[in-house]
């Protein structure tokens, strides 16, 4: 697709363009006889050359020209470049210029883009300009060796030849000074230039990565030179895209080919360009008279009224101006988005350029015996500051690479350029759908492996870790590009690790193993040597190496105070750990060894998350559930105690399971919140624990306690072993104490008693009581003798929790909080069951004296009795309800007491 039109011109797609695309698909499917292919080349190669190419004369043909200068042989094009177009009858054309000449002195042709779009002939302007890129696609496909062609080298002159475009000033600083027609010509020409460059890159990128070896005469250029030209063409493309986006935002009448024009908002059509700061001369003169004391009181009053009216008009005009600016910004964003979406996508194979030596870390500084990694490690601190890891081209290719991976392994539709997936002319119809997509995905990954794309990712990861680890990393000349590059690298690695197609089959795991090893260690590999994985231990070693590499980059990168960047890295190492868990489940031959390494990997991630939670981020960093909440979740999920054998005689309950992690979060973060100003935080040891994140800390701890209680009773042990019984009850006591401390926070600190926190207390408390009823009480019944004091203490602590839950339920009814009211039936049910089972336990063991019951009074969250004031004609003192007087209680209180049943208390 190329070109574009004004709102008053034809905007459809040329029928011949569709015909060219159909011929391309037929050639790619090898569905055309050789005679037809020969006719296509003879017919359309000449059309491409005659219609769109112009000849250049150089200093060899014209001795009067300085070395390196060119002369355009076409008189009309020459006039455009010389500037005579400004005074000619052609009012469409801005001043022209030959731009992006990669071939330099060797250029013999140029592409006549401006000539087409500035032509007075509507056929050239509206039809031929749109057929250029489909025609190029057809010709390049016909020459492509992959589809039986004679070799893409036959048209290599297209890669480096210059383009006849509006001069650089016309598409940048002078654009708004051009006439409407010239603006439209400029945008249309730039859009076609972008499409042309993308099509040329699509044609040559794969062959630059994998040159032909069968026929050396096929390439008229050296392979190294071909790669350099592709890289340079990418730089030209990015510069052109910036210009076309900038111009398309300002040219409201431009419409890309095949799209309908956007309606310009009325506010932009009728905007008032008057100077709002200009005051009428009569008001200024009246002000002067007032200053000289020549005005009466009535005149001054009238003047003040006029000023008020003028001031109101000025305010209204400023308000209208802000509205117009807002509408303008929104409309220009729509124009930009439409233009971006209309640009033809790049072929996924373009991302193979990441493995080109010209784009590897160090670039031209590398010699044939030195790797990028060796170069990085040999650089001093002062040299690292100037090392360029990511630039516009690299980051652009990484974005394309990540998109291509997602399209192959996640999306239902294929990426443009992988034509065989949905080629209607393909004879192998059984390959359609998900299997075809997976097959093409493996093929794409194989090319990336052979082209050293993953090796280049390894080199960049190493370089970024070294740069961010330097104390003066903030002084690095390219720090912003470096961080953006690292962000994209992590996204690419994360996409690979979470790709379902790489985990569902043994062949997929073979690809994954090879790729992870390349990214982790930087070793070159061949896709042809990939085989189904039999042992996963080497994969685990590669995962561990890659984990350490990314962890180093994250730990160093958190000093940049970019939490968003850090979280991308955390998600990536989380995927690594999950891959290690999957590998462990698949390899049962070395299960014990596997499990030990996986546990270490989990603990590394848990420690990393704890470090990031404690890190003092710069002011203004946004903390929320997506970052701080995620870190807390991963810290608790992967935490593993150093000593957790419940059968040890010197057993420490805090060192079982995740008890130590929960204890740290409670005592060093949550409990410290009330000591801060108005419970706003942050606390000293956890800078991420503040008012906006307290809910994340609170809910995570509350949710973890019942989970740990359930895990505790899944631990194997002899129920008649006194050590086992004592240790298990000790853990139960600690977990219940954690919940009790958490409940006390909202009970004693009103600023923390938010509805969301109270709701989490009810949900987690109900789950904990449920586990106690199903696991702890039966265990206590069986092992009561010898553990009386411990069990009674557990009952006392649990009873404190159930009381507080009932207080929250009463509060929810009074405040008419729907979420709390919804949880009330479940809470009442477990609390009542706890009373009955506790009473039965104590009665069975002849300690019923420790149990007494009574009616609950209506209380506040802090446990104090609720007092309701009522209007009375006699005495205000009698308005206060008496808790023990059933006759004077309000209807609401009676209702609440009926809902709250008898509660057990231990003496």
């Amino acid at each position: 697709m190329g070109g574009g039109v004004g709102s008053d011109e034809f905007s459809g797609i040329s029928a011949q363009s569709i015909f060219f695309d159909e011929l391309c698909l037929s050639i790619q499917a090898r569905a055309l006889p050789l005679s037809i292919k020969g006719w296509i080349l003879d017919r359309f190669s000449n059309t491409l050359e005659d219609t769109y190419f112009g000849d250049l004369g150089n200093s060899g043909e014209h001795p009067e020209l300085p070395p390196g200068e060119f002369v355009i042989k076409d008189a009309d094009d020459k006039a455009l470049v010389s500037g005579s177009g400004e005074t000619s009858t052609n009012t469409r054309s801005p001043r022209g210029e030959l731009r992006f000449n990669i071939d330099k002195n060797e250029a013999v042709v140029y592409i006549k883009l401006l000539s087409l779009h500035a032509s007075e002939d509507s056929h050239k302007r509206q039809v031929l300009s749109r057929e250029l890129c489909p025609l190029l696609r057809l010709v390049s496909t016909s020459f492509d060796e992959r589809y039986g062609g004679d070799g893409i080298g036959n048209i290599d002159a297209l890669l480096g030849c210059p383009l006849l475009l509006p001069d650089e000033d016309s598409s940048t600083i002078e654009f708004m000074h051009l006439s409407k027609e010239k603006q439209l010509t400029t945008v249309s020409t730039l859009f076609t230039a972008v499409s042309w460059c993308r099509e040329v890159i699509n044609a040559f990128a794969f062959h630059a990565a994998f040159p032909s070896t069968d026929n050396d005469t096929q390439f008229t250029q050296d392979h190294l030179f071909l790669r350099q030209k592709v890289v340079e063409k990418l730089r030209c493309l990015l510069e052109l895209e910036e210009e076309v986006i900038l111009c398309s935002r300002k040219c409201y009448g431009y419409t890309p080919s095949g799209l309908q024009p956007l309606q310009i908002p009325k506010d932009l059509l009728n905007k008032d360009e008057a100077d709002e700061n200009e005051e009428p001369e009569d008001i200024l003169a009246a002000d002067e008279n007032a200053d000289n004391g020549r005005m009466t009181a009535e005149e001054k009053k009238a003047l003040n009224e006029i000023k008020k009216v003028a001031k109101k008009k000025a305010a209204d005009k400023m308000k209208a101006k802000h509205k117009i600016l807002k509408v303008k910004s929104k409309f220009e964003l729509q124009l930009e988005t439409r233009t971006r979406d209309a640009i033809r996508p790049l072929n996924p194979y373009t991302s193979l350029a990441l493995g080109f030596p010209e784009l590897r870390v160090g670039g031209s500084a590398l010699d044939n015996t030195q790797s990028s990694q060796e170069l990085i490690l040999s650089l001093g601190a002062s040299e690292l500051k100037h090392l360029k890891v990511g630039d516009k081209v690299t980051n652009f290719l990484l974005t394309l690479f990540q998109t291509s991976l997602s399209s192959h392994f996640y999306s239902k539709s294929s990426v443009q350029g992988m034509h065989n997936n949905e080629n209607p002319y393909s004879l192998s119809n059984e390959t359609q759908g998900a299997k075809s997509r997976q097959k093409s995905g493996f093929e794409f990954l194989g090319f990336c492996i052979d082209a050293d794309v993953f090796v280049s990712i390894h080199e960049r990861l190493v370089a970024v870790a070294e740069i961010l680890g330097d104390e003066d990393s903030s002084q690095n000349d390219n720090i912003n590009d470096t961080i953006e590059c690292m962000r994209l690298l992590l996204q690419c690695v994360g996409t690979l690790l979470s790709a379902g197609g790489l985990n569902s089959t043994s062949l997929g795991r073979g690809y994954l193993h090879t790729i992870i090893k390349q990214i982790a260690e930087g070793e070159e590999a061949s896709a042809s040597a990939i085989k189904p994985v039999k042992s996963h231990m080497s994969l685990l070693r590669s995962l561990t190496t890659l984990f350490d590499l990314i962890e180093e980059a994250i730990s160093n990168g958190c000093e940049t105070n970019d939490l968003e960047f850090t979280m991308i890295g955390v998600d990536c190492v989380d995927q690594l750990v999950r891959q290690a868990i999957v590998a462990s489940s698949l390899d049962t031959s070395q299960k014990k060894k596997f499990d030990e390494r996986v546990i270490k990997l989990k603990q590394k991630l848990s420690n990393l998350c704890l470090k990031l939670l404690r890190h003092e981020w710069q002011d203004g960093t946004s903390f929320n559930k997506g970052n701080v909440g995620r870190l807390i979740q991963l810290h608790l999920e992967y935490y593993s105690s150093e000593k957790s054998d419940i059968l040890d005689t010197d057993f420490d309950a805090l060192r079982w399971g995740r008890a130590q992690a929960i204890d740290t979060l409670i005592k060093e973060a949550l409990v410290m919140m009330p000591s801060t100003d108005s419970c706003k935080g942050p606390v000293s040891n956890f800078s991420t624990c503040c008012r906006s994140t307290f809910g994340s800390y609170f809910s995570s701890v509350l949710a973890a306690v019942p989970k740990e209680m359930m895990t505790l009773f899944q631990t194997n042990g002899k129920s008649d072993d006194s050590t086992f019984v004592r240790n298990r009850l000790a853990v139960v006591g600690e977990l219940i104490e954690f919940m009790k401390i958490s409940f006390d926070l909202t009970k004693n600190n009103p600023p923390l008693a938010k509805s969301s926190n109270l709701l989490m207390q009810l949900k987690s408390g109900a789950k904990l009581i449920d586990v106690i009823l199903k696991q702890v009480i039966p265990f206590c019944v069986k092992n009561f003798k010898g553990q009386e004091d411990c069990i009674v203490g557990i009952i006392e602590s649990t009873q404190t929790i159930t009381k507080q839950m009932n207080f929250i339920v009463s509060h929810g009814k009074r405040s008419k909080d729907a979420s709390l009211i919804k949880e009330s039936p479940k809470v009442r049910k477990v609390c009542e069951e706890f009373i009955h089972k506790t009473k039965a336990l104590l009665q069975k063991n002849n300690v019923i004296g420790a149990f007494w019951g009574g009616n609950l009074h209506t209380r506040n969250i802090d446990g104090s009795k609720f007092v309701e004031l009522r209007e009375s004609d006699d005495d205000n003192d009698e308005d206060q309800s008496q808790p023990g007087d059933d006759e004077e209680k309000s209807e609401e209180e009676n209702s609440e007491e009926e809902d709250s049943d008898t509660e057990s208390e231990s003496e």
Side-chain angles (χ1 to χ4, degrees):
M1 184 182 294
V5 296
S7 58
D8 59 338
E9 293 187 349
F10 172 74
S11 60
I13 300 176
S14 165
Q16 188 145 304
S17 298
I18 299 175
F19 174 61
F20 291 156
D21 283 337
E22 293 298 309
L23 287 177
C24 281
L25 293 174
S26 300
I27 293 172
Q28 290 165 355
R30 300 179 182 271
L32 293 180
L34 291 178
S35 58
I36 300 297
K37 284 186 62 178
W39 172 82
I40 290 174
L41 281 176
D42 292 340
R43 171 69 175 81
F44 295 114
S45 294
N46 293 332
T47 301
L48 179 66
E49 182 176 351
D50 297 341
T51 306
Y52 301 101
F53 289 6
D55 294 326
L56 288 174
N58 53 34
S59 55
E61 300 174 358
H62 300 269
E64 70 278 7
L65 292 175
E69 291 291 328
F70 299 90
V71 59
I72 297 176
K73 295 183 177 181
D74 186 282
D76 293 335
D77 291 347
K78 188 174 182 180
L80 294 178
V81 173
S82 66
S84 59
E86 294 288 340
T87 57
S88 70
T89 58
N90 187 349
T91 59
R92 297 179 177 275
S93 177
R95 187 185 183 95
E97 180 183 358
L98 285 178
R99 300 180 62 189
F100 307 112
N101 182 12
I102 299 174
D103 282 340
K104 305 299 181 185
N105 296 341
E106 298 179 1
V108 294
V109 295
Y110 66 94
I111 311 301
K112 307 173 69 169
L113 300 181
L114 180 58
S115 309
L116 291 174
H117 288 284
S119 174
E120 297 293 341
D121 185 347
S122 61
H123 179 74
K124 289 184 179 180
R125 195 171 63 250
Q126 299 177 23
V127 178
L128 293 184
S129 63
R130 298 176 203 170
E131 294 177 356
L132 170 60
C133 292
L135 179 57
L136 170 62
R137 191 156 56 249
L138 174 60
V139 173
S140 62
T141 303
S142 300
F143 278 112
D144 198 322
E145 279 185 305
R146 291 175 293 174
Y147 312 119
D150 294 333
I152 200 74
N154 289 284
I155 54 171
D156 58 5
L158 304 181
L159 185 58
C161 66
L163 310 178
L164 179 57
L165 302 173
D167 67 346
E168 189 172 358
D169 288 346
S170 296
S171 56
T172 51
I173 58 176
E174 295 294 331
F175 181 76
M176 296 305 297
H177 300 293
L178 298 176
S179 66
K180 297 296 183 183
E181 283 189 322
K182 291 180 180 179
Q183 285 184 355
L184 185 60
T185 299
T186 299
V187 180
S188 301
T189 307
L190 291 175
F191 186 89
T192 303
V194 168
S195 300
W196 168 267
C197 289
R198 282 178 170 249
E199 208 59 66
V200 170
I201 292 170
N202 285 344
F204 286 92
F206 182 86
H207 301 280
F210 301 105
S212 172
T213 56
D214 297 334
N215 185 4
D216 293 336
T217 61
Q218 181 174 350
F219 279 87
T220 59
Q221 296 174 310
D222 180 78
H223 176 224
L224 174 63
F225 197 37
L226 181 64
R227 288 200 314 257
Q228 292 173 344
K229 283 189 175 185
V230 170
V231 173
E232 190 60 35
K233 201 69 175 181
L234 283 166
R235 294 193 173 96
C236 296
L237 171 63
L238 295 182
E239 185 176 342
L240 275 169
E241 287 188 0
E242 288 182 1
E243 292 182 11
V244 75
I245 294 302
L246 175 66
C247 293
S248 65
R249 288 177 63 98
K250 303 300 180 183
C251 186
Y252 295 173
Y254 173 70
T255 301
S257 300
L259 301 180
Q260 295 297 322
L262 289 179
Q263 185 175 1
I264 303 176
K266 293 181 180 179
D267 290 333
L268 299 183
L269 293 174
N270 303 323
K271 64 179 181 177
D272 187 4
E273 299 180 355
D275 185 2
E276 65 276 4
N277 296 320
E278 183 179 355
E279 293 189 77
E281 293 184 2
D282 55 345
I283 296 181
L284 296 175
D287 279 340
E288 185 178 352
N289 291 334
D291 293 338
N292 295 333
R294 292 180 290 180
M295 293 186 67
T296 63
E298 291 78 6
E299 291 174 333
K300 288 182 179 179
K301 184 178 179 180
L303 177 61
N304 289 335
E305 291 297 328
I306 294 173
K307 285 184 176 180
K308 286 181 181 179
V309 174
K311 187 175 181 180
K312 185 177 183 304
K313 286 183 177 180
D316 291 341
K317 182 175 283 188
M318 185 60 66
K319 185 178 179 180
K321 183 178 180 180
H322 286 311
K323 179 183 177 182
I324 289 174
L325 290 175
K326 187 176 181 180
V327 172
K328 180 180 179 182
S329 177
K330 182 179 179 180
F331 181 65
E332 290 184 355
L333 181 60
Q334 288 179 318
L335 293 174
E336 176 183 338
T337 303
R338 183 181 63 165
T339 301
R340 288 187 186 277
D341 293 342
I343 296 174
R344 181 173 178 81
L346 280 171
N347 192 303
Y349 293 135
T350 302
S351 56
L352 297 176
L354 286 167
F356 291 180
E358 293 78 12
L359 290 176
R360 301 272 281 273
V361 177
S364 58
L366 296 174
D367 56 40
N368 294 329
T369 62
Q370 186 182 36
S371 68
S372 295
Q373 186 173 357
E374 291 171 343
L375 173 67
I376 295 163
L377 298 177
S378 67
L379 295 177
S382 59
E383 295 171 305
L384 270 177
K385 293 178 182 178
H386 305 290
L387 183 64
K388 182 175 288 189
V389 177
D391 56 13
K392 289 183 178 180
V393 173
T394 300
N395 294 348
F396 176 77
L397 290 174
L398 285 171
T399 302
L400 174 64
F401 182 55
Q402 196 269 338
T403 303
S404 302
L405 290 174
S406 298
S407 298
H408 279 112
F409 294 101
Y410 296 91
S411 177
K412 292 183 179 180
S413 59
S414 304
V415 179
Q416 180 67 38
M418 307 296 289
H419 303 290
N420 285 337
N421 288 350
E422 296 181 356
N423 193 332
Y425 301 100
S426 177
L427 298 179
S428 54
N429 293 326
E430 70 276 8
T431 63
Q432 303 296 318
K435 290 185 178 180
S436 173
R437 201 162 53 248
Q438 186 181 83
K439 180 180 178 181
S440 66
F442 287 156
E443 182 183 42
F444 175 64
L445 291 177
F447 287 129
C448 292
I449 291 170
D450 292 335
D452 293 337
V453 171
F454 300 112
V455 175
S456 74
I457 290 177
H458 164 78
E459 294 166 353
R460 288 186 168 85
L461 287 174
V462 172
V464 172
E466 291 293 325
I467 292 172
L468 296 181
D470 183 60
E471 294 181 357
D472 299 325
S473 62
S474 59
Q475 300 178 10
N476 187 283
D477 297 341
N478 310 292
I479 188 63
N480 292 331
D481 284 339
T482 298
I483 292 177
E484 179 61 22
C485 178
M486 184 62 178
R487 189 193 311 270
L488 294 169
L489 289 170
L490 293 174
Q491 288 175 343
C492 290
V493 174
T495 301
L496 281 166
L497 292 171
S498 57
L502 297 180
N503 289 302
S504 58
T505 63
S506 58
L507 179 61
R509 289 189 289 272
Y511 273 93
L512 180 64
H513 185 186
T514 302
I515 291 169
I516 294 300
K517 189 171 184 179
Q518 278 196 307
I519 297 176
E521 303 171 14
E523 294 184 4
E524 295 183 357
S526 172
S528 60
I530 294 177
K531 297 179 180 178
V533 176
K534 295 182 179 179
S535 173
H536 293 80
M537 185 56 70
S538 58
L539 172 60
L540 181 60
R541 285 193 291 267
S542 297
L543 289 169
T544 304
T545 303
L546 182 55
F547 183 101
D548 293 338
L549 179 58
I550 296 178
E551 181 189 22
E552 181 184 3
I554 296 172
S555 299
N556 295 335
C558 71
E559 300 302 326
T560 64
N561 286 301
D562 188 341
L563 183 54
E564 182 185 356
F565 158 74
T566 303
M567 288 308 300
I568 294 175
V570 170
D571 289 338
C572 188
V573 291
D574 178 35
Q575 290 290 343
L576 284 170
V577 173
R578 296 186 189 281
Q579 280 293 338
I581 295 172
V582 172
S584 175
S585 66
L586 293 172
D587 196 331
T588 57
S589 60
Q590 306 179 70
K591 183 170 178 56
K592 184 176 180 181
K593 198 172 182 180
F594 241 115
D595 290 345
E596 290 176 353
R597 295 195 177 189
V598 170
I599 289 173
K600 289 181 180 179
L601 209 55
K602 289 180 177 180
Q603 190 59 45
K604 281 184 177 182
L605 178 52
S606 179
N607 293 339
L608 173 63
C609 292
L610 182 62
K611 175 183 176 181
L612 296 175
L613 289 169
R614 292 182 183 274
H615 180 72
E616 293 188 8
W617 301 91
Q618 67 181 5
D619 293 340
T621 301
S622 176
F623 297 139
N624 51 57
K625 187 177 180 180
N627 45 48
V628 172
R630 174 88 169 132
L631 290 174
I632 300 169
Q633 173 202 343
L634 292 176
H635 170 55
L636 291 173
E637 180 181 353
Y638 292 127
Y639 182 85
S640 176
S641 60
E642 298 177 2
K643 183 179 180 182
S644 59
D645 190 350
I646 202 167
L647 296 176
D648 287 349
T649 54
D650 59 344
F651 178 75
D652 181 358
L654 284 179
R655 301 185 71 178
W656 184 89
R658 299 177 177 85
Q660 185 66 62
I662 297 173
D663 183 69
T664 299
L665 293 178
I666 291 177
K667 295 179 179 178
E668 295 188 32
L670 294 176
V671 171
M672 302 305 295
M673 275 292 286
S675 62
T676 62
D677 182 24
S678 301
C679 295
K680 294 180 180 179
V683 301
S684 56
N685 290 334
F686 280 84
S687 64
T688 57
C689 184
C690 56
R691 180 171 57 182
S692 62
T693 60
F694 176 82
S696 296
Y697 275 88
F698 193 65
S699 61
S700 297
V701 168
L702 289 177
V705 173
K707 289 180 181 178
E708 284 303 290
M709 187 75 80
M710 182 63 72
T711 303
L712 173 65
F713 282 87
Q714 293 172 351
T715 305
N716 295 325
K718 296 181 179 179
S719 59
D720 56 351
D721 188 318
S722 59
T723 301
F724 171 75
V725 172
R726 183 177 65 253
N727 291 346
R728 176 176 275 187
L729 289 175
V731 176
V732 170
E734 286 293 342
L735 294 175
I736 293 176
E737 185 65 19
F738 290 155
M739 187 67 80
K740 182 176 176 295
I741 294 173
S742 301
F743 272 49
D744 287 344
L745 280 173
T746 56
K747 176 181 178 181
N748 301 326
N749 302 281
L752 301 179
K754 295 182 179 180
S755 177
S756 57
N757 295 337
L758 297 178
L759 178 62
M760 194 62 201
Q761 283 182 263
L762 291 184
K763 288 183 175 181
S764 299
K767 289 180 181 179
L768 178 64
I769 302 301
D770 187 59
V771 177
I772 290 174
L773 292 171
K774 294 178 180 178
Q775 303 290 344
V776 179
I777 296 295
F779 185 77
C780 291
V781 170
K782 189 174 182 179
N783 299 282
F784 192 85
K785 292 182 179 180
Q787 304 293 337
E788 294 89 344
D789 294 340
C790 180
I791 291 174
V792 170
I794 288 173
I795 293 174
E796 288 178 346
S797 298
T798 306
Q799 180 263 343
T800 304
I801 295 172
T802 58
K803 265 189 175 183
Q804 186 63 22
M805 290 168 66
N806 276 287
F807 297 159
I808 295 173
V809 168
S810 295
H811 167 76
K813 286 188 176 182
R814 288 195 304 274
S815 61
K816 297 181 180 179
D817 190 315
S819 59
L820 297 181
I821 293 174
K822 185 178 179 180
E823 293 297 317
S824 298
K826 186 185 297 182
V827 170
R828 287 199 301 270
K829 180 180 178 182
V830 295
C831 288
E832 290 170 7
E833 191 174 352
F834 175 75
I835 293 170
H836 299 316
K837 288 196 174 184
T838 301
K839 184 177 181 179
L841 169 64
L842 298 176
Q843 191 171 17
K844 179 179 179 180
N845 291 279
N846 299 319
V847 287
I848 193 62
F851 180 91
W852 65 270
N855 289 330
L856 283 178
H857 297 293
T858 303
R859 297 179 184 270
N860 298 307
I861 291 178
D862 61 2
S864 61
K865 290 184 179 180
F866 174 72
V867 178
E868 182 180 5
L869 295 177
R870 287 174 287 185
E871 295 183 0
S872 175
D873 295 334
D874 299 328
D875 192 344
N876 289 335
D877 292 338
E878 295 179 2
D879 291 342
Q880 187 171 2
S881 63
Q882 300 301 319
D885 191 351
D886 291 339
E887 295 179 357
E888 295 183 5
K889 285 181 181 177
S890 67
E891 213 175 282
E892 181 182 355
E893 286 178 291
N894 282 324
S895 172
E896 289 174 356
E897 288 191 2
E898 288 173 5
D899 290 337
S900 304
D901 210 312
T902 308
E903 180 64 80
S904 68
E905 296 187 6
S906 299
E907 294 181 354

